Amino acid sequence: MTHGPGHERRVRVTVTGRVQGVWYRAWTREEARDLGLDGWVRNCSDGSVEAVLAGSRDDVDTMLGLLKQGPPLAVVETVAWEPFTGEVASGFAQRNTF
């Protein structure tokens, strides 16, 4: 399911804690795809994970809640988000480290 340019909500998220090397990106990609979200996720050189989520308000809110838990090996310290106004392609991608 794709939402196209009429996304109800788009946010940029930064997650800190033990979130690299614990399958956080792949887990995020799968959870986001299950919710029908568009966007992407990538590791950052400072050890955080960054993501852009786009979709219905309810689905984005659900994903923000999931990001606070993370996959079993992750230890999430913070999940900070802000509105995102950039373009978001259809589908959900796992990107290379930035």
Side-chain angles (χ1 to χ4, degrees):
M1 171 195 281
T2 57
H3 300 277
H7 293 117
E8 292 180 42
R9 186 171 196 194
R10 284 185 273 183
V11 298
R12 183 171 88 61
V13 185
T14 302
V15 184
T16 64
R18 192 175 76 198
V19 292
Q20 291 190 12
V22 294
W23 298 98
Y24 198 94
R25 286 181 302 162
W27 173 88
T28 299
R29 182 188 66 223
E30 294 308 311
E31 295 292 331
R33 286 179 176 174
D34 286 350
L35 287 168
L37 295 176
D38 295 327
W40 50 264
V41 61
R42 67 182 173 194
N43 285 341
C44 296
S45 58
D46 65 1
S48 67
V49 169
E50 179 184 28
V52 167
L53 311 172
S56 75
R57 181 167 295 279
D58 287 347
D59 290 341
V60 170
D61 286 347
T62 296
M63 190 66 205
L64 288 170
L66 290 169
L67 290 174
K68 293 176 183 175
Q69 299 169 20
L73 296 176
V75 179
V76 177
E77 292 175 6
T78 64
V79 175
W81 62 271
E82 62 188 9
F84 181 77
T85 57
E87 293 296 315
V88 180
S90 293
F92 201 90
Q94 181 173 323
R95 292 187 173 178
N96 293 328
T97 300
F98 175 72

